[in-house]
Amino acid sequence: MTKGIIYAMTTVVPGLIKIGKTGCNNFEQRMYHLERNGYFNVVGLQRRFAIEVEDYDEKEALLDEIFSKSRV
């Protein structure tokens, strides 16, 4: 089982949330990059939630499936 971090970030667009994943040893670097550079054309990202979990690829895929109808 691979450990990783699932995170949620708010954006400057009301109601738009980025959900993502990263390895445990890469979390601070990933947050630094997203908070300063944005994600594609989304800016103003701020971390709101992060949790370390086992099988983070599968868990992030489940979140993608759950929110698939709301995905932009």
Side-chain angles (χ1 to χ4, degrees):
M1 288 191 251
T2 307
K3 275 189 174 183
I5 296 174
I6 303 287
Y7 59 85
M9 301 179 85
T10 56
T11 69
V12 294
V13 180
L16 185 63
I17 297 172
K18 174 172 177 25
I19 298 172
K21 66 181 177 183
T22 190
C24 294
N25 58 350
N26 192 37
F27 177 70
E28 286 303 325
Q29 181 181 3
R30 179 74 173 142
M31 293 299 104
Y32 180 87
H33 177 77
L34 290 172
E35 289 170 341
R36 278 145 191 84
N37 302 309
Y39 180 76
F40 289 102
N41 62 348
V42 178
V43 295
L45 289 166
Q46 291 184 317
R47 56 182 116 171
R48 295 296 180 194
F49 176 81
I51 186 168
E52 185 177 319
V53 295
E54 298 282 347
D55 298 325
Y56 72 109
D57 287 322
E58 293 173 17
K59 291 183 173 81
E60 198 259 350
L62 177 61
L63 288 171
D64 283 349
E65 183 180 329
I66 290 169
F67 293 109
S68 65
K69 292 183 181 178
S70 301
R71 198 167 187 170
V72 193

